[in-house]
Amino acid sequence: MDRAALLSKPTRPVVTIECPDLGTVYLRELSGGEMARLYTGERPAEEITQLLVAASLCDAEGVRLLKPEDGLALYEAHPSRVLAPIVDEALRINRMTKAAVEDAKKA
């Protein structure tokens, strides 16, 4: 592997889920830089989750749909039963669940 290969942007897979009231929703895995920005400064867990969801939501081609500041507005606009499947999947695909951490330790 060379420098160009390391710095190239690979295509990230897009995950499709069905959500109540929203229909088909697409999510993508965050880049290392996006993940690092989640933890910049001291943030409460709920803000990190809002930022994670805002960064993960995308169109069918993987193009991000929301700005970071849209996370709170999204949470205010929808009930938790609508957002829960999106949060769960964003956590899973970004390896932020307890099970994912345990699997990584085994690898």
Side-chain angles (χ1 to χ4, degrees):
M1 179 166 292
D2 62 9
R3 182 178 186 275
L6 284 169
L7 297 177
S8 68
K9 290 186 177 182
T11 303
R12 292 182 232 156
V14 174
V15 176
T16 305
I17 61 171
E18 294 298 322
C19 290
D21 298 346
L22 296 178
T24 303
V25 174
Y26 302 98
L27 296 153
R28 64 182 182 85
E29 184 178 1
L30 273 57
S31 70
E34 289 169 321
M35 186 66 78
R37 284 187 291 277
L38 284 180
Y39 296 104
T40 301
E42 300 219 4
R43 302 178 198 262
E46 63 270 9
E47 185 177 342
I48 291 172
T49 304
Q50 292 166 4
L51 291 167
L52 171 69
V53 170
S56 297
L57 285 166
C58 63
D59 64 17
E61 285 75 45
V63 176
R64 188 173 171 168
L65 295 175
L66 301 176
K67 299 175 188 173
E69 59 270 19
D70 293 332
L72 177 59
L74 181 70
Y75 270 63
E76 294 296 330
H78 298 284
S80 60
R81 70 174 169 76
V82 172
L83 296 173
I86 298 170
V87 172
D88 291 346
E89 189 61 19
L91 289 167
R92 187 192 70 76
I93 64 174
N94 287 289
R95 294 164 190 83
M96 295 175 71
T97 64
K98 184 176 181 178
V101 171
E102 293 302 319
D103 288 345
K105 287 179 183 177
K106 294 175 190 174

